[in-house]
Amino acid sequence: MENQDRKRLLIIDAALKRFAHYGLAKTTMTEIAKDIAFSKALLYYYFPDKLSLYVSVIEHLMHQISRDLVKSVEKTNSAAEGILMLVQKRQAFIQKYYKLIEYTQMMGPELPDELQDKFTRARAFELKIITGLLNKGNTSGEFAVPDVNFTTEIFVEAISGIHFNILNRAKIIYPDKEQFKLIFLKEKRFAEIFLAGLKQIK
C-alpha cells in the first residue's frame, strides 16, 4: 500500500509540473508517464482519465497551499497583517499556477461537479481564515466589525472582482507580468483601505 501511495504521489507531482507549465489542454498522459518513466497503463491504473488526474492534482495543491497559508498567517502579529499576508499568498498562488487553473476559468459554470466541489471547499477555507482574523481583531480591539461573516464576503468578492475587471477590460484570459503586478498592487491597496476602514468603525 505504501508503494502504491508513493507511485500515486509521483504521478500527481509530475502532472502538477506539466499542468502548471503547459496547462491542461496541452498536456498528455503520455508526457506525464514519460517524465517519471512510468508506462501509460500504470498511469491509467491510478487515474482512469486526464480529468480525474487533474482533480487529484488540484486537491493535492490545495492541501499544500492551505498548510502554507495557515503557517504564514500564524506568524503575523495582528489581524490586519494576517489578512494582508493572505492577499499576498493568494496572488502568488494565482500567478504561479495560473495555467493550471486556466481550464476552470474557461469552463465557467459548466465546471464538472468534482472540480466545483474542490473550489467550493477552497473558497470556504479562505472565508474561514478571514472570518477568524476579523474575530481575532474584534477580540483584541484592533477592529470593531459588527457583522463579521457579511464583511468577510464583501472583502473576498471585492478582491476577486479586481482580478476579473482587469482581465475583462484587457479582453484576455492570461495576464502578463505587468498585469499580474497591477492586479496585486490594486488588491493590496484595496485591502489596506478596507482594513483601515474597519479600524475606523470603533
Side-chain angles (χ1 to χ4, degrees), residues 20-21 91-100 174 180:
H21 193 268
Q91 183 58 28
F93 157 69
I94 291 172
Q95 188 166 350
K96 185 175 181 180
Y97 295 108
Y98 200 84
K99 283 193 177 179
L100 177 70
Y174 191 80
F180 269 126

Side-chain angles (χ1 to χ4, degrees), residues 34-62:
K34 199 177 289 185
D35 286 344
I36 47 178
F38 281 6
S39 68
K40 246 171 89 173
L42 185 59
L43 246 70
Y44 284 114
Y45 171 77
Y46 288 98
F47 303 99
D49 51 46
K50 190 165 67 169
L51 182 60
S52 66
L53 175 54
Y54 179 75
V55 172
S56 293
V57 166
I58 291 290
E59 184 174 35
H60 175 72
L61 184 60
M62 285 179 174

Side-chain angles (χ1 to χ4, degrees), residues 64-201:
Q64 284 185 333
I65 291 164
S66 299
R67 287 195 297 269
D68 176 54
L69 191 57
V70 168
K71 283 181 183 177
S72 298
V73 167
E74 283 177 349
K75 289 177 183 176
T76 57
N77 297 316
S78 67
E81 278 184 28
I83 291 171
L84 289 171
M85 174 62 73
L86 182 143
V87 171
Q88 181 183 332
K89 288 281 183 180
R90 183 181 185 276
Q91 183 58 28
F93 157 69
I94 291 172
Q95 188 166 350
K96 185 175 181 180
Y97 295 108
Y98 200 84
K99 283 193 177 179
L100 177 70
I101 59 177
E102 182 182 22
Y103 166 77
T104 65
Q105 299 207 358
M106 291 188 292
M107 288 297 290
E110 296 176 10
L111 204 62
D113 289 344
E114 57 266 45
L115 270 177
Q116 189 65 58
D117 176 62
K118 305 300 177 202
F119 284 101
T120 298
R121 288 186 186 187
R123 188 175 188 277
F125 177 77
E126 186 178 32
L127 291 170
K128 183 179 177 183
I129 287 187
I130 296 171
T131 299
L133 285 166
L134 291 180
N135 280 323
K136 176 185 172 182
N138 276 351
T139 302
S140 68
E142 183 181 356
F143 302 138
V145 183
D147 190 335
V148 168
N149 291 334
F150 189 57
T151 303
T152 298
E153 286 179 15
I154 293 169
F155 181 79
V156 171
E157 287 168 9
I159 287 285
S160 301
I162 290 170
H163 185 103
F164 173 79
N165 285 331
I166 289 174
L167 298 192
N168 193 44
R169 275 200 308 273
K171 296 181 179 177
I172 56 168
I173 294 176
Y174 191 80
D176 59 26
K177 284 185 179 179
E178 286 305 308
Q179 284 162 329
F180 269 126
K181 189 176 176 181
L182 179 61
I183 289 167
F184 179 64
L185 187 64
K186 287 190 172 184
E187 286 181 349
K188 184 173 182 289
R189 187 64 185 129
F190 166 77
E192 288 168 347
I193 294 167
F194 190 90
L195 293 169
L198 295 185
K199 291 177 183 179
Q200 297 300 319
I201 290 176

